[in-house]
Amino acid sequence: NAGVTQTPKFQVLKTGQSMTLQCAQDMNHNSMYWYRQDPGMGLRLIYYSASEGTTDKGEVPNGYNVSRLNKREFSLRLESAAPSQTSVYFCASSPFWIGSEQYFGPGTRLTVT
Amino acid sequence: GEDVEQSLFLSVREGDSSVINCTYTDSSSTYLYWYKQEPGAGLQLLTYIFSNMDMKQDQRLTVLLNKKDKHLSLRIADTQTGDSAIYFCAENPGNTPLVFGKGTRLSVIA
């Protein structure tokens, strides 16, 4: 089992460019999540998906969109990147209900210039 | 609202015990979790405790839970340099995503 995988590992964008961060899990988990991590701010939830076909906003959804493509894959899209979106992005999944333990991917380090 | 509080920094000498503390807000949380994040990596589930337990031991790790005070602690015995990391506690306030603390950065001095 690879667990939770994220691509790319690193990305540099110019302001206004768009990109999609990919996340996949091979553990047959129901729920998936996107977080951003900034120094001193801890983890902040962007969006989550309780099950295939559903998505919900988290604490900081502005500037992002998500797609739960199937049970395995949950992508995060930045339509028009801004320097404030420079961060480390983590995808996670959990096996049971939305409040069960989460398993994290290795992260994508995004810089917007 | 929901808020999980942790101190930001802890420094210990190699071989000593480390105690990382956390307070949470939701008394209905069924499970409480500890995660470890090493530099440049994602969060790794370290251990968890069910809310009807007071203590859980797993090798060098001991988790203590005081439900009355909503206080959770993680004790690492014989702390090693490889234990240097950020440790996050998290609560599960029902059918919503986990709520994480901001993390405690543990530095182990050789």
Side-chain angles (χ1 to χ4, degrees):
Chain A
N1 277 358
V4 180
T5 56
Q6 294 183 236
T7 55
K9 287 186 167 39
F10 301 93
Q11 184 71 49
V12 178
L13 290 179
K14 293 188 188 307
T15 298
Q17 287 185 318
S18 62
M19 80 160 295
T20 300
L21 280 63
Q22 306 287 355
C23 173
Q25 52 90 10
D26 62 1
M27 298 175 285
N28 200 35
H29 286 180
N30 287 324
S31 304
M32 298 184 74
Y33 314 81
W34 276 105
Y35 293 90
R36 59 178 290 174
Q37 185 179 33
D38 303 291
M41 302 292 289
L43 286 172
R44 290 186 290 171
L45 183 63
I46 304 171
Y47 271 95
Y48 64 97
S49 170
S51 61
E52 188 178 351
T54 70
T55 61
D56 284 286
K57 293 178 181 179
E59 182 186 354
V60 289
N62 290 346
Y64 305 95
N65 285 302
V66 289
S67 295
R68 183 76 183 265
L69 304 167
N70 47 55
K71 192 171 185 180
R72 290 188 62 246
E73 298 171 289
F74 189 38
S75 62
L76 179 72
R77 182 158 178 85
L78 287 71
E79 288 292 351
S80 179
S84 61
Q85 294 178 305
T86 293
S87 189
V88 181
Y89 290 86
F90 290 102
C91 177
S93 66
S94 53
F96 308 116
W97 75 102
I98 199 73
S100 59
E101 72 274 17
Q102 295 179 15
Y103 297 86
F104 284 77
T108 294
R109 282 141 187 85
L110 176 67
T111 302
V112 184
T113 61
Chain B
E2 301 149 358
D3 207 6
V4 176
E5 299 282 346
Q6 302 178 239
S7 53
L8 293 181
F9 300 100
L10 177 66
S11 182
V12 299
R13 293 203 176 275
E14 192 174 21
D16 287 351
S17 291
S18 308
V19 179
I20 302 170
N21 294 303
C22 169
T23 57
Y24 61 97
T25 56
D26 196 318
S27 56
S28 67
S29 290
T30 312
Y31 290 92
L32 293 136
Y33 301 92
W34 284 104
Y35 284 81
K36 177 183 181 183
Q37 184 181 29
E38 297 183 351
L43 278 70
Q44 171 194 354
L45 180 62
L46 203 54
T47 188
Y48 63 91
I49 187 166
F50 189 51
S51 59
N52 69 352
M53 299 169 67
D54 297 324
M55 184 180 85
K56 179 179 179 182
Q57 190 148 1
D58 184 0
Q59 299 183 339
R60 292 190 298 122
L61 304 178
T62 303
V63 179
L64 296 177
L65 176 60
N66 180 330
K67 282 194 71 175
K68 175 175 165 290
D69 295 336
K70 300 193 189 75
H71 184 265
L72 182 72
S73 67
L74 174 70
R75 179 177 179 269
I76 305 172
D78 187 24
T79 311
Q80 302 298 307
T81 54
D83 295 322
S84 293
I86 303 175
Y87 291 81
F88 293 88
C89 68
E91 63 171 344
N92 77 318
N95 197 29
T96 58
L98 299 185
V99 177
F100 289 86
K102 286 187 166 46
T104 299
R105 184 180 296 274
L106 174 65
S107 297
V108 181
I109 306 161

PDB file of all heavy atoms in Angstrom, chain A residues 84-106:
ATOM      1  N   SER A  84      -0.613  34.906  -1.312  1.00  0.00           N
ATOM      2  CA  SER A  84      -1.130  34.447  -0.018  1.00  0.00           C
ATOM      3  C   SER A  84      -1.399  32.940  -0.002  1.00  0.00           C
ATOM      4  O   SER A  84      -1.628  32.362   1.065  1.00  0.00           O
ATOM      5  CB  SER A  84      -2.413  35.191   0.340  1.00  0.00           C
ATOM      6  OG  SER A  84      -3.406  34.947  -0.649  1.00  0.00           O
ATOM      7  N   GLN A  85      -1.389  32.301  -1.170  1.00  0.00           N
ATOM      8  CA  GLN A  85      -1.596  30.860  -1.238  1.00  0.00           C
ATOM      9  C   GLN A  85      -0.283  30.076  -1.207  1.00  0.00           C
ATOM     10  O   GLN A  85      -0.304  28.837  -1.307  1.00  0.00           O
ATOM     11  CB  GLN A  85      -2.405  30.510  -2.490  1.00  0.00           C
ATOM     12  CG  GLN A  85      -3.832  31.056  -2.424  1.00  0.00           C
ATOM     13  CD  GLN A  85      -4.640  30.767  -3.663  1.00  0.00           C
ATOM     14  OE1 GLN A  85      -4.220  31.107  -4.785  1.00  0.00           O
ATOM     15  NE2 GLN A  85      -5.800  30.165  -3.488  1.00  0.00           N
ATOM     16  N   THR A  86       0.828  30.784  -1.041  1.00  0.00           N
ATOM     17  CA  THR A  86       2.103  30.119  -0.793  1.00  0.00           C
ATOM     18  C   THR A  86       1.997  29.360   0.524  1.00  0.00           C
ATOM     19  O   THR A  86       1.690  29.954   1.568  1.00  0.00           O
ATOM     20  CB  THR A  86       3.254  31.137  -0.726  1.00  0.00           C
ATOM     21  OG1 THR A  86       3.423  31.709  -2.007  1.00  0.00           O
ATOM     22  CG2 THR A  86       4.540  30.482  -0.257  1.00  0.00           C
ATOM     23  N   SER A  87       2.208  28.046   0.477  1.00  0.00           N
ATOM     24  CA  SER A  87       1.972  27.223   1.655  1.00  0.00           C
ATOM     25  C   SER A  87       2.413  25.789   1.363  1.00  0.00           C
ATOM     26  O   SER A  87       2.847  25.461   0.262  1.00  0.00           O
ATOM     27  CB  SER A  87       0.474  27.235   2.008  1.00  0.00           C
ATOM     28  OG  SER A  87       0.225  26.619   3.252  1.00  0.00           O
ATOM     29  N   VAL A  88       2.296  24.960   2.373  1.00  0.00           N
ATOM     30  CA  VAL A  88       2.436  23.518   2.183  1.00  0.00           C
ATOM     31  C   VAL A  88       1.033  22.927   2.270  1.00  0.00           C
ATOM     32  O   VAL A  88       0.305  23.190   3.242  1.00  0.00           O
ATOM     33  CB  VAL A  88       3.353  22.882   3.239  1.00  0.00           C
ATOM     34  CG1 VAL A  88       3.482  21.388   2.966  1.00  0.00           C
ATOM     35  CG2 VAL A  88       4.725  23.547   3.227  1.00  0.00           C
ATOM     36  N   TYR A  89       0.669  22.153   1.266  1.00  0.00           N
ATOM     37  CA  TYR A  89      -0.677  21.589   1.183  1.00  0.00           C
ATOM     38  C   TYR A  89      -0.619  20.089   1.474  1.00  0.00           C
ATOM     39  O   TYR A  89       0.179  19.364   0.896  1.00  0.00           O
ATOM     40  CB  TYR A  89      -1.267  21.830  -0.207  1.00  0.00           C
ATOM     41  CG  TYR A  89      -1.577  23.285  -0.437  1.00  0.00           C
ATOM     42  CD1 TYR A  89      -0.599  24.161  -0.900  1.00  0.00           C
ATOM     43  CD2 TYR A  89      -2.843  23.795  -0.164  1.00  0.00           C
ATOM     44  CE1 TYR A  89      -0.880  25.515  -1.083  1.00  0.00           C
ATOM     45  CE2 TYR A  89      -3.126  25.132  -0.350  1.00  0.00           C
ATOM     46  CZ  TYR A  89      -2.135  25.988  -0.808  1.00  0.00           C
ATOM     47  OH  TYR A  89      -2.407  27.318  -0.980  1.00  0.00           O
ATOM     48  N   PHE A  90      -1.479  19.665   2.376  1.00  0.00           N
ATOM     49  CA  PHE A  90      -1.566  18.249   2.732  1.00  0.00           C
ATOM     50  C   PHE A  90      -2.943  17.707   2.400  1.00  0.00           C
ATOM     51  O   PHE A  90      -3.962  18.344   2.675  1.00  0.00           O
ATOM     52  CB  PHE A  90      -1.306  18.043   4.223  1.00  0.00           C
ATOM     53  CG  PHE A  90       0.111  18.275   4.624  1.00  0.00           C
ATOM     54  CD1 PHE A  90       0.493  19.455   5.241  1.00  0.00           C
ATOM     55  CD2 PHE A  90       1.084  17.321   4.361  1.00  0.00           C
ATOM     56  CE1 PHE A  90       1.810  19.672   5.609  1.00  0.00           C
ATOM     57  CE2 PHE A  90       2.402  17.525   4.717  1.00  0.00           C
ATOM     58  CZ  PHE A  90       2.765  18.710   5.338  1.00  0.00           C
ATOM     59  N   CYS A  91      -2.940  16.510   1.841  1.00  0.00           N
ATOM     60  CA  CYS A  91      -4.148  15.744   1.640  1.00  0.00           C
ATOM     61  C   CYS A  91      -4.182  14.655   2.710  1.00  0.00           C
ATOM     62  O   CYS A  91      -3.125  14.161   3.134  1.00  0.00           O
ATOM     63  CB  CYS A  91      -4.122  15.124   0.245  1.00  0.00           C
ATOM     64  SG  CYS A  91      -5.518  14.067  -0.150  1.00  0.00           S
ATOM     65  N   ALA A  92      -5.359  14.298   3.159  1.00  0.00           N
ATOM     66  CA  ALA A  92      -5.508  13.245   4.153  1.00  0.00           C
ATOM     67  C   ALA A  92      -6.760  12.436   3.838  1.00  0.00           C
ATOM     68  O   ALA A  92      -7.647  12.907   3.110  1.00  0.00           O
ATOM     69  CB  ALA A  92      -5.592  13.836   5.566  1.00  0.00           C
ATOM     70  N   SER A  93      -6.823  11.240   4.393  1.00  0.00           N
ATOM     71  CA  SER A  93      -8.025  10.428   4.240  1.00  0.00           C
ATOM     72  C   SER A  93      -8.337   9.747   5.558  1.00  0.00           C
ATOM     73  O   SER A  93      -7.449   9.580   6.411  1.00  0.00           O
ATOM     74  CB  SER A  93      -7.845   9.379   3.137  1.00  0.00           C
ATOM     75  OG  SER A  93      -6.861   8.417   3.489  1.00  0.00           O
ATOM     76  N   SER A  94      -9.602   9.386   5.747  1.00  0.00           N
ATOM     77  CA  SER A  94      -9.970   8.635   6.949  1.00  0.00           C
ATOM     78  C   SER A  94     -10.912   7.506   6.568  1.00  0.00           C
ATOM     79  O   SER A  94     -11.717   7.634   5.648  1.00  0.00           O
ATOM     80  CB  SER A  94     -10.564   9.532   8.029  1.00  0.00           C
ATOM     81  OG  SER A  94     -11.623  10.300   7.551  1.00  0.00           O
ATOM     82  N   PRO A  95     -10.785   6.378   7.306  1.00  0.00           N
ATOM     83  CA  PRO A  95     -11.429   5.149   6.851  1.00  0.00           C
ATOM     84  C   PRO A  95     -12.930   5.079   7.070  1.00  0.00           C
ATOM     85  O   PRO A  95     -13.628   4.434   6.288  1.00  0.00           O
ATOM     86  CB  PRO A  95     -10.723   4.060   7.663  1.00  0.00           C
ATOM     87  CG  PRO A  95     -10.184   4.761   8.866  1.00  0.00           C
ATOM     88  CD  PRO A  95      -9.894   6.161   8.449  1.00  0.00           C
ATOM     89  N   PHE A  96     -13.403   5.724   8.108  1.00  0.00           N
ATOM     90  CA  PHE A  96     -14.787   5.489   8.478  1.00  0.00           C
ATOM     91  C   PHE A  96     -15.587   6.777   8.337  1.00  0.00           C
ATOM     92  O   PHE A  96     -15.757   7.281   7.260  1.00  0.00           O
ATOM     93  CB  PHE A  96     -14.865   4.915   9.895  1.00  0.00           C
ATOM     94  CG  PHE A  96     -13.970   3.720  10.088  1.00  0.00           C
ATOM     95  CD1 PHE A  96     -12.905   3.758  10.967  1.00  0.00           C
ATOM     96  CD2 PHE A  96     -14.193   2.554   9.367  1.00  0.00           C
ATOM     97  CE1 PHE A  96     -12.081   2.659  11.124  1.00  0.00           C
ATOM     98  CE2 PHE A  96     -13.364   1.448   9.524  1.00  0.00           C
ATOM     99  CZ  PHE A  96     -12.302   1.510  10.397  1.00  0.00           C
ATOM    100  N   TRP A  97     -16.097   7.282   9.426  1.00  0.00           N
ATOM    101  CA  TRP A  97     -16.893   8.499   9.345  1.00  0.00           C
ATOM    102  C   TRP A  97     -15.980   9.720   9.352  1.00  0.00           C
ATOM    103  O   TRP A  97     -14.783   9.619   9.560  1.00  0.00           O
ATOM    104  CB  TRP A  97     -17.908   8.540  10.485  1.00  0.00           C
ATOM    105  CG  TRP A  97     -17.334   8.873  11.825  1.00  0.00           C
ATOM    106  CD1 TRP A  97     -17.387  10.077  12.472  1.00  0.00           C
ATOM    107  CD2 TRP A  97     -16.621   8.000  12.702  1.00  0.00           C
ATOM    108  NE1 TRP A  97     -16.743   9.998  13.681  1.00  0.00           N
ATOM    109  CE2 TRP A  97     -16.275   8.749  13.863  1.00  0.00           C
ATOM    110  CE3 TRP A  97     -16.233   6.665  12.628  1.00  0.00           C
ATOM    111  CZ2 TRP A  97     -15.578   8.193  14.927  1.00  0.00           C
ATOM    112  CZ3 TRP A  97     -15.530   6.102  13.686  1.00  0.00           C
ATOM    113  CH2 TRP A  97     -15.218   6.870  14.811  1.00  0.00           C
ATOM    114  N   ILE A  98     -16.577  10.874   9.161  1.00  0.00           N
ATOM    115  CA  ILE A  98     -15.796  12.085   8.946  1.00  0.00           C
ATOM    116  C   ILE A  98     -14.952  12.437  10.165  1.00  0.00           C
ATOM    117  O   ILE A  98     -13.952  13.134  10.057  1.00  0.00           O
ATOM    118  CB  ILE A  98     -16.738  13.259   8.548  1.00  0.00           C
ATOM    119  CG1 ILE A  98     -15.955  14.369   7.880  1.00  0.00           C
ATOM    120  CG2 ILE A  98     -17.520  13.779   9.732  1.00  0.00           C
ATOM    121  CD1 ILE A  98     -15.519  14.020   6.492  1.00  0.00           C
ATOM    122  N   GLY A  99     -15.294  11.943  11.335  1.00  0.00           N
ATOM    123  CA  GLY A  99     -14.524  12.268  12.530  1.00  0.00           C
ATOM    124  C   GLY A  99     -13.503  11.228  12.927  1.00  0.00           C
ATOM    125  O   GLY A  99     -12.893  11.333  13.986  1.00  0.00           O
ATOM    126  N   SER A 100     -13.284  10.219  12.110  1.00  0.00           N
ATOM    127  CA  SER A 100     -12.319   9.173  12.466  1.00  0.00           C
ATOM    128  C   SER A 100     -10.895   9.632  12.149  1.00  0.00           C
ATOM    129  O   SER A 100     -10.673  10.683  11.563  1.00  0.00           O
ATOM    130  CB  SER A 100     -12.652   7.861  11.765  1.00  0.00           C
ATOM    131  OG  SER A 100     -12.647   8.006  10.364  1.00  0.00           O
ATOM    132  N   GLU A 101      -9.924   8.804  12.536  1.00  0.00           N
ATOM    133  CA  GLU A 101      -8.526   9.205  12.408  1.00  0.00           C
ATOM    134  C   GLU A 101      -8.168   9.459  10.952  1.00  0.00           C
ATOM    135  O   GLU A 101      -8.729   8.866  10.046  1.00  0.00           O
ATOM    136  CB  GLU A 101      -7.606   8.128  13.013  1.00  0.00           C
ATOM    137  CG  GLU A 101      -7.494   6.844  12.221  1.00  0.00           C
ATOM    138  CD  GLU A 101      -8.578   5.834  12.526  1.00  0.00           C
ATOM    139  OE1 GLU A 101      -9.628   6.206  13.121  1.00  0.00           O
ATOM    140  OE2 GLU A 101      -8.388   4.666  12.149  1.00  0.00           O
ATOM    141  N   GLN A 102      -7.209  10.352  10.760  1.00  0.00           N
ATOM    142  CA  GLN A 102      -6.798  10.722   9.414  1.00  0.00           C
ATOM    143  C   GLN A 102      -5.381  10.251   9.133  1.00  0.00           C
ATOM    144  O   GLN A 102      -4.535  10.202  10.020  1.00  0.00           O
ATOM    145  CB  GLN A 102      -6.870  12.243   9.241  1.00  0.00           C
ATOM    146  CG  GLN A 102      -8.284  12.791   9.347  1.00  0.00           C
ATOM    147  CD  GLN A 102      -8.357  14.276   9.193  1.00  0.00           C
ATOM    148  OE1 GLN A 102      -7.417  14.929   8.730  1.00  0.00           O
ATOM    149  NE2 GLN A 102      -9.488  14.848   9.568  1.00  0.00           N
ATOM    150  N   TYR A 103      -5.143   9.942   7.866  1.00  0.00           N
ATOM    151  CA  TYR A 103      -3.831   9.520   7.386  1.00  0.00           C
ATOM    152  C   TYR A 103      -3.401  10.515   6.312  1.00  0.00           C
ATOM    153  O   TYR A 103      -4.161  10.783   5.380  1.00  0.00           O
ATOM    154  CB  TYR A 103      -3.887   8.095   6.835  1.00  0.00           C
ATOM    155  CG  TYR A 103      -4.256   7.102   7.906  1.00  0.00           C
ATOM    156  CD1 TYR A 103      -5.586   6.846   8.212  1.00  0.00           C
ATOM    157  CD2 TYR A 103      -3.273   6.449   8.653  1.00  0.00           C
ATOM    158  CE1 TYR A 103      -5.935   5.978   9.223  1.00  0.00           C
ATOM    159  CE2 TYR A 103      -3.614   5.569   9.663  1.00  0.00           C
ATOM    160  CZ  TYR A 103      -4.941   5.343   9.946  1.00  0.00           C
ATOM    161  OH  TYR A 103      -5.281   4.484  10.964  1.00  0.00           O
ATOM    162  N   PHE A 104      -2.181  11.035   6.480  1.00  0.00           N
ATOM    163  CA  PHE A 104      -1.739  12.163   5.667  1.00  0.00           C
ATOM    164  C   PHE A 104      -0.782  11.747   4.553  1.00  0.00           C
ATOM    165  O   PHE A 104      -0.003  10.797   4.695  1.00  0.00           O
ATOM    166  CB  PHE A 104      -1.024  13.195   6.548  1.00  0.00           C
ATOM    167  CG  PHE A 104      -1.975  14.014   7.367  1.00  0.00           C
ATOM    168  CD1 PHE A 104      -2.562  13.497   8.505  1.00  0.00           C
ATOM    169  CD2 PHE A 104      -2.311  15.309   6.983  1.00  0.00           C
ATOM    170  CE1 PHE A 104      -3.452  14.252   9.258  1.00  0.00           C
ATOM    171  CE2 PHE A 104      -3.189  16.070   7.733  1.00  0.00           C
ATOM    172  CZ  PHE A 104      -3.765  15.533   8.870  1.00  0.00           C
ATOM    173  N   GLY A 105      -0.835  12.524   3.464  1.00  0.00           N
ATOM    174  CA  GLY A 105       0.154  12.418   2.416  1.00  0.00           C
ATOM    175  C   GLY A 105       1.404  13.218   2.770  1.00  0.00           C
ATOM    176  O   GLY A 105       1.452  13.876   3.811  1.00  0.00           O
ATOM    177  N   PRO A 106       2.425  13.173   1.896  1.00  0.00           N
ATOM    178  CA  PRO A 106       3.708  13.824   2.194  1.00  0.00           C
ATOM    179  C   PRO A 106       3.707  15.330   1.950  1.00  0.00           C
ATOM    180  O   PRO A 106       4.651  16.007   2.339  1.00  0.00           O
ATOM    181  CB  PRO A 106       4.686  13.133   1.236  1.00  0.00           C
ATOM    182  CG  PRO A 106       3.815  12.716   0.090  1.00  0.00           C
ATOM    183  CD  PRO A 106       2.487  12.373   0.677  1.00  0.00           C
TER     184      PRO A 106
END
